[in-house]
């Protein structure tokens, strides 16, 4: 079974920035919403270990959902660049950068595609978020 983890590097009002590793190897960078006490659609999820499962999102297509987050559902890995794109989910990017005046992740489409390709044989995986 694949193991995916995020090491959070920075939490601020601009977002929660981190690095995602797949089976111990750095895969990409991440952006989650700021920490707002696990509020639905507005906050990063609490640090911890979760199960993820493959889903077909009506909005984002094939992806993975983080399951069993207390009080939350539909937390997905998907494309996007800045905190307002997260909708309470986890954005993947190739590098950190700026879009206009906003900090975020860049080259999200290619990072997301590579993540899905590297997880092509997985229906589920263990997911850990470390502060």
């Amino acid at each position: 079974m694949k193991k995916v983890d995020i090491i959070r590097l920075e939490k601020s009002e601009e977002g929660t920035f981190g690095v995602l590793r797949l089976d111990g190897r750095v895969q990409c960078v991440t952006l989650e919403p700021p920490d707002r006490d696990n509020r639905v659609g507005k906050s990063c999820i609490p640090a911890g270990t979760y199960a993820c499962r493959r889903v077909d999102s009506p909005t984002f297509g094939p992806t993975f959902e983080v399951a069993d987050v207390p009080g939350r559902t539909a937390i997905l890995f998907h494309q996007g660049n800045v905190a307002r794109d997260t909708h309470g989910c986890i954005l993947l990017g190739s590098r950190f950068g700026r879009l206009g005046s906003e900090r975020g992740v860049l080259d999200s489409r290619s990072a997301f595609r590579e993540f899905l390709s590297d997880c092509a044989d997985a229906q589920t995986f263990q997911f850990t978020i470390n502060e």
Side-chain angles (χ1 to χ4, degrees):
M1 176 183 281
K2 294 209 177 288
K3 289 176 67 175
V4 176
D5 67 306
I6 289 178
I7 301 168
R8 288 180 172 158
L9 305 174
E10 176 188 339
K11 291 170 89 171
S12 71
E13 276 305 304
E14 295 178 291
T16 302
F17 296 86
V19 174
L20 182 142
R21 298 186 307 179
L22 177 61
D23 293 331
R25 276 188 52 243
V26 171
Q27 174 88 20
C28 60
V29 297
T30 62
L31 175 59
E32 302 168 77
D35 188 348
R36 296 196 171 116
D37 297 322
N38 200 32
R39 285 193 1 235
V40 175
K42 303 286 185 198
S43 180
C44 61
I45 62 176
T49 299
Y50 304 94
C52 289
R53 61 187 169 93
R54 185 176 293 280
V55 296
D56 197 11
S57 163
T59 305
F60 300 105
T63 188
F64 288 90
E65 178 181 23
V66 183
D68 303 323
V69 177
R72 304 273 298 273
T73 60
I75 299 165
L76 306 174
F77 292 88
H78 65 81
Q79 299 174 57
N81 297 108
V82 294
R84 66 182 145 77
D85 298 333
T86 63
H87 308 289
C89 297
I90 301 165
L91 305 182
L92 306 181
S94 297
R95 58 189 160 74
F96 297 119
R98 293 187 97 69
L99 280 177
S101 63
E102 294 180 87
R103 290 177 62 212
V105 295
L106 304 178
D107 301 322
S108 183
R109 182 172 291 132
S110 62
F112 182 67
R113 266 194 239 140
E114 185 175 341
F115 175 72
L116 288 182
S117 174
D118 289 348
C119 293
D121 60 342
Q123 290 300 309
T124 62
F125 58 78
Q126 178 182 319
F127 175 58
T128 303
I129 298 177
N130 298 296
E131 298 282 12

